Amino acid sequence: MFAKDIGIDLGTSNVLIHVKGKGIELNEPSVVAVDPAAKSMVAVGEEAHRMIGRTPGNIQVMRPLKDGVIADFDSTEAMLKGFIDRLKVRGWFSKPRILICCPTDVTSVEQKAIKEAVQKSGGRQVFLEAEPKVAAIGAGMDIYQPSGNMVIDIGGGTTDVAVLSMGDIVTSASIKIAGNTFDNDIIQSIKKNHKLLIGERTAEDVKIAVTSLFPGGEEKELAIRGRDLVSGLPRTVTITSKEVSDAMEESVAWILHTAKNVLEKTPPELSADIIDRGIILTGGGALLRGLDQLLAEELKVPVFTAEDPLACVAKGTGIMLDSLDKKRRKS
Ligand code: ADP
Ligand code: MG
């Protein structure tokens, strides 16, 4: 048995792994639970995610990545190893080749750290690719033509905006405002308006269920529970779409501003192509209700949400792994 090549989307929120010839075989939150005293790993992925905010004092639940880069090297390595082991992609005598994505503006030191973590967790040869490029390929864009393509990837920790042509990034920007920022905006707003403290997971539920960013869009509401800041007792309040979009307004404005900046730096021929082809939204944040319409109106360019935006990068790694061998055979 030979080792199978794999593509990894190492995201701040989720890790997805594409196994060549099979498809996406793993999709789990990037979370680990450790017992610091015993220096042991208690759980990884889904199992660890369920423990967020619910652990006793001796167990620590953490996210090994922050803002798209490795915040804790050891736990990133342990998490990747846990995931790769589960897939049984190793051959009898060989290790898999691994293609992994990183944000556009990581430093060379950070790049090296990512490569090293992957190598240690079981890779033979490691290829690093810029995430927006892979996201665009996974969203079905043909980025290898001499024509402009624009993608906005809104993940958990970062939003990456890029214009691509002939297989490479022409202009790009990355900001640390994305899904987690929205969750935090919601936590702060509920604290201020309702004197109620809610957890990260509840904030994310609110975001997914009731966000409606485009004026005049669908209005929703959700009853949520938290801890009253004054009495300290559990209490329920109802949150509306208006309240959530107000809370997220500033963060959304930053994303808009970043996209505008990238468009302004883009050579005119490529801008003209983008007016024709539109902008593609990928990453979990692409699912925010009304965001596509809002961006389209503000940027005066058509905006489309990719099909299955959370899986674009992983799908893209699959496509790139296939072409890796084709290139080899030609040369
Ligand atoms: P990363 O690449 O950083 O791991 P992902 O592309 O996996 O990020 O997206 C994760 C983010 O998308 C999280 O902040 C999550 O809350 C958000 N998200 C997931 N589904 C939705 C949804 N339906 N609406 C809005 N946000 C969503
Ligand atoms: Mg991502």
Side-chain angles (χ1 to χ4, degrees):
M1 192 179 90
F2 293 110
K4 299 182 187 83
D5 293 341
I6 59 176
I8 305 179
D9 169 11
L10 181 63
T12 309
S13 304
N14 300 297
V15 176
L16 282 80
I17 302 185
H18 180 109
V19 179
K20 196 174 163 188
K22 286 190 158 179
I24 296 169
E25 296 270 287
L26 183 134
N27 182 354
E28 301 247 350
S30 344
V31 184
V32 294
V34 290
D35 180 345
K39 289 204 170 64
S40 66
M41 180 82 84
V42 180
V44 282
E46 200 62 64
E47 198 186 345
H49 189 242
R50 279 199 296 272
M51 298 177 182
I52 291 180
R54 298 197 169 100
T55 49
N58 59 332
I59 293 178
Q60 225 181 344
V61 180
M62 54 190 270
R63 293 190 173 274
L65 287 106
K66 198 172 180 299
D67 303 331
V69 298
I70 294 178
D72 185 284
F73 194 82
D74 293 340
S75 55
T76 304
E77 193 186 311
M79 177 177 77
L80 279 172
K81 190 167 180 315
F83 289 153
I84 295 172
D85 282 351
R86 236 188 267 172
L87 293 171
K88 309 215 178 338
V89 285
R90 244 170 251 165
W92 284 330
F93 304 107
S94 54
K95 289 176 176 178
R97 286 190 302 182
I98 299 181
L99 181 93
I100 188 156
C101 296
C102 65
T104 37
D105 65 345
V106 297
T107 62
S108 54
V109 175
E110 286 165 342
Q111 282 191 8
K112 225 176 125 208
I114 296 176
K115 266 193 164 173
E116 220 173 286
V118 181
Q119 218 133 28
K120 281 198 179 154
S121 54
R124 168 166 53 112
Q125 216 177 349
V126 182
F127 304 92
L128 212 61
E129 275 291 350
E131 193 163 348
K133 180 173 160 185
V134 185
I137 293 174
M141 291 174 143
D142 181 2
I143 60 159
Y144 294 100
Q145 301 300 319
S147 126
N149 292 283
M150 182 159 166
V151 56
I152 303 180
D153 180 275
I154 307 173
T158 56
T159 293
D160 292 85
V161 183
V163 171
L164 303 123
S165 175
M166 297 176 74
D168 254 317
I169 292 172
V170 181
T171 44
S172 69
S174 175
I175 53 167
K176 294 184 188 342
I177 290 176
N180 297 343
T181 326
F182 300 138
D183 299 344
N184 200 37
D185 290 342
I186 292 170
I187 292 176
Q188 297 309 327
S189 147
I190 291 175
K191 198 163 150 188
K192 193 166 139 241
N193 299 339
H194 301 275
K195 304 278 172 286
L196 192 77
L197 205 61
I198 61 163
E200 265 172 52
R201 297 208 47 182
T202 305
E204 187 181 14
D205 290 344
V206 171
K207 174 181 74 178
I208 293 175
V210 299
T211 305
S212 182
L213 294 172
F214 196 65
E218 200 180 346
E219 289 285 328
K220 299 199 171 210
E221 47 179 53
L222 184 74
I224 54 157
R225 276 168 299 193
R227 193 179 78 208
D228 189 288
L229 272 178
V230 184
S231 71
L233 300 174
R235 183 158 63 89
T236 305
V237 296
T238 301
I239 307 298
T240 62
S241 298
K242 165 92 176 66
E243 189 172 349
V244 172
S245 51
D246 284 350
M248 287 164 45
E249 194 178 355
E250 202 176 313
S251 305
V252 172
W254 272 110
I255 292 179
L256 194 64
H257 177 76
T258 308
K260 270 189 189 159
N261 264 344
V262 168
L263 277 170
E264 278 165 16
K265 283 190 296 181
T266 301
E269 296 292 357
L270 297 181
S271 312
D273 297 335
I274 293 164
I275 295 175
D276 289 337
R277 298 169 159 235
I279 298 171
I280 303 263
L281 300 182
T282 64
L287 292 167
L288 287 168
R289 229 167 278 114
L291 181 67
D292 47 353
Q293 278 171 290
L294 189 76
L295 289 172
E297 188 172 273
E298 296 283 336
L299 300 172
K300 314 270 184 280
V301 174
V303 176
F304 307 102
T305 303
E307 197 189 315
D308 200 0
L310 282 153
C312 281
V313 173
K315 274 197 227 166
T317 63
I319 297 169
M320 294 196 84
L321 281 174
D322 286 341
S323 65
L324 209 68
D325 277 341
K326 273 183 212 140
K327 259 189 243 156
R328 279 265 147 99
R329 253 177 260 138
K330 267 186 217 155
S331 59

